[in-house]
């Protein structure tokens, strides 16, 4: 049995874990039921919505924890209005043989495993990028649109273009692709990859995948696919904003697709890189050719959803605590 401030902080951690899991469940179900609505928004709005989905559970966990534990921490609020509705029994007592400890241990194990797994994956991919840099050269045919010569050429027959690197992303194009397309098409590809580099999309893609990994595997994969599409559509739109015609960008996408048809398709995985060609070709072409790109970020709807899930999680954590302690040591 642990008493005092240490017990309080352990209970705080437990409340945070329960709140996080419940909010992940509620938001995950909401996304699963309404995920198709994403296609009605602009690419920029879709990115914001997806970040809202993966980050909101963590913010809700903090809020719920503060509301539940603050009355016990501040004596002046111990008998306040909030404390009469929701509270955490025995805030300064923590048993290592209770369900609280089990909850904390399970989450800690999952979190540590996830961090280690992601770090090893990043290390492996960064090692590959170091090797790639040794076998690539600065492209002397690159146009002046790519600042500081951040475009490298790889001697390979595989037609491919991508942006890789976390804090200093770099754009890569294989000679197999460069030599098979026109100057205008090559410029479009450079502009597209430059948009990824400016936004640090490889790093953001990796961070998004980390937060998305706390959802169920099915929902996590759907979130990653949706974010990948949104990033590519944003990059396509960045090319469109430079004055390039939508039809020219779409034709470049289709041409690169035909060039890669003879090669084995890449296995789907979360990599710290953004490829020019993605499986969602139809969606990208359709988005490019639409005059109205979609709706803006729904501030009112997301705000209402945030408040609703926060209240539901607050009441659920408190109810779960009171119900569970009737059957287990608490």
């Amino acid at each position: 049995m642990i008493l005092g401030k240490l017990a309080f902080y352990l209970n705080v951690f437990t409340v945070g874990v329960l709140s996080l899991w419940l909010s992940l469940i509620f938001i995950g179900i909401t996304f699963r039921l309404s995920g198709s609505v994403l296609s009605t928004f602009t690419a920029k709005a879709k990115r914001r919505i997806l970040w809202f989905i993966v980050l909101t559970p963590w913010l809700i966990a903090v809020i719920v924890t503060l509301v539940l534990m603050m009355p016990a921490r501040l004596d002046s609020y111990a008998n306040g209005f909030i404390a009469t509705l929701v509270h955490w029994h025995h805030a300064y007592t923590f048993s290592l043989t209770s369900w609280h400890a089990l909850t904390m241990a399970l989450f800690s194990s999952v979190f540590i495993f996830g961090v280690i797994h992601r770090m090893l994956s990043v290390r492996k991919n960064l090692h590959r990028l170091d090797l790639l840099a040794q076998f690539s050269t600065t492209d002397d045919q690159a146009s002046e649109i790519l600042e500081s010569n951040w475009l490298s050429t790889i001697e390979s027959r595989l037609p491919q273009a991508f942006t890789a690197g976390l804090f200093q992303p770099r754009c890569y194009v294989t000679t197999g692709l460069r030599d098979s397309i026109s100057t205008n098409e090559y410029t479009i590809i450079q502009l597209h990859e430059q948009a990824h580099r400016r936004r640090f999309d490889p790093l953001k893609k990796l961070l998004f995948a980390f937060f998305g990994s706390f959802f169920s595997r099915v929902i996590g994969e759907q979130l990653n696919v949706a974010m990948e599409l949104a990033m590519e559509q944003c990059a396509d739109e960045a090319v469109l904003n430079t004055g390039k015609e939508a039809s020219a960008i779409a034709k470049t996408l289709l041409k690169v697709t035909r060039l890669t048809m003879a090669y084995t398709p890449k296995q789907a995985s979360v990599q710290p890189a953004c490829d020019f060609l993605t499986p969602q070709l139809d969606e990208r072409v359709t988005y490019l050719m639409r005059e109205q790109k979609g709706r803006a970020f729904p501030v009112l709807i997301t705000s209402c959803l945030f408040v609703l899930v926060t209240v539901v999680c607050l009441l659920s954590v408190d109810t779960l605590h009171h119900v569970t302690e009737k059957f287990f040591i608490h």
Side-chain angles (χ1 to χ4, degrees), residues 92-321:
Y92 288 89
T93 303
F94 189 89
S95 174
L96 295 176
T97 60
S98 66
W99 67 276
H100 298 172
L102 178 61
T103 301
M104 185 177 64
L106 286 174
F107 177 80
S108 299
S109 299
V110 172
F111 184 83
I112 294 173
F113 175 80
V115 170
I116 293 176
H117 175 73
R118 195 65 60 183
M119 290 179 63
L120 292 175
S121 177
V122 170
R123 181 181 178 183
K124 182 178 180 180
N125 282 283
L126 290 179
H127 178 66
R128 290 177 179 176
L129 287 178
D130 289 338
L131 293 176
L132 191 62
Q134 298 177 17
F135 293 97
S136 61
T137 57
T138 302
D139 192 351
D140 55 2
Q141 297 184 28
S143 62
E144 296 179 355
I145 59 173
L146 213 62
E147 310 98 332
S148 304
N149 295 323
W150 283 106
L151 179 66
S152 294
T153 303
I154 304 170
E155 290 289 339
S156 174
R157 294 172 55 192
L158 176 67
Q160 194 172 22
F162 60 93
T163 300
L166 300 180
F167 302 105
Q168 292 183 326
R170 193 173 185 85
C171 307
Y172 296 88
V173 178
T174 61
T175 54
L177 177 61
R178 186 191 65 183
D179 298 341
S180 303
I181 56 179
S182 66
T183 302
N184 185 54
E185 291 166 341
Y186 192 33
T187 300
I188 289 174
I189 292 175
Q190 290 179 68
L191 287 168
H192 177 96
E193 296 305 328
Q194 180 178 249
H196 284 310
R197 189 183 71 82
R198 284 177 173 174
R199 292 191 178 99
F200 290 88
D201 278 346
L203 175 61
K204 293 178 180 178
K205 184 178 179 182
L206 188 68
L207 291 174
F208 183 86
F210 173 74
F211 286 108
S213 65
F214 289 92
F215 290 87
S216 68
R217 184 173 181 178
V218 173
I219 294 178
E221 290 177 353
Q222 291 178 343
L223 287 169
N224 287 328
V225 170
M227 177 55 80
E228 182 180 25
L229 175 60
M231 285 183 172
E232 296 303 328
Q233 288 176 331
C234 282
D236 291 338
E237 198 167 12
V239 180
L240 192 63
N241 292 336
T242 64
K244 297 293 181 180
E245 295 183 359
S247 58
I249 303 172
K251 288 179 180 178
T252 302
L253 283 169
L254 294 172
K255 185 172 183 179
V256 175
T257 301
R258 288 196 298 269
L259 290 172
T260 57
M261 287 289 287
Y263 293 87
T264 303
K266 181 189 67 174
Q267 296 295 323
S269 60
V270 178
Q271 303 287 348
C274 296
D275 296 312
F276 178 75
L277 191 62
T278 56
Q280 307 97 335
L281 180 63
D282 293 342
E283 290 90 337
R284 289 175 63 182
V285 172
T286 301
Y287 185 79
L288 278 169
M289 303 307 295
R290 277 189 349 214
E291 292 186 7
Q292 298 296 329
K293 300 302 182 185
R295 296 182 290 172
F297 181 78
V299 177
L300 180 60
I301 295 177
T302 52
S303 299
C304 292
L305 179 61
F306 178 82
V307 173
L308 177 62
V309 175
T310 301
V311 173
V312 171
C313 284
L314 178 61
L315 297 176
S316 299
V317 169
D318 182 63
T319 302
L320 179 64
H321 172 59

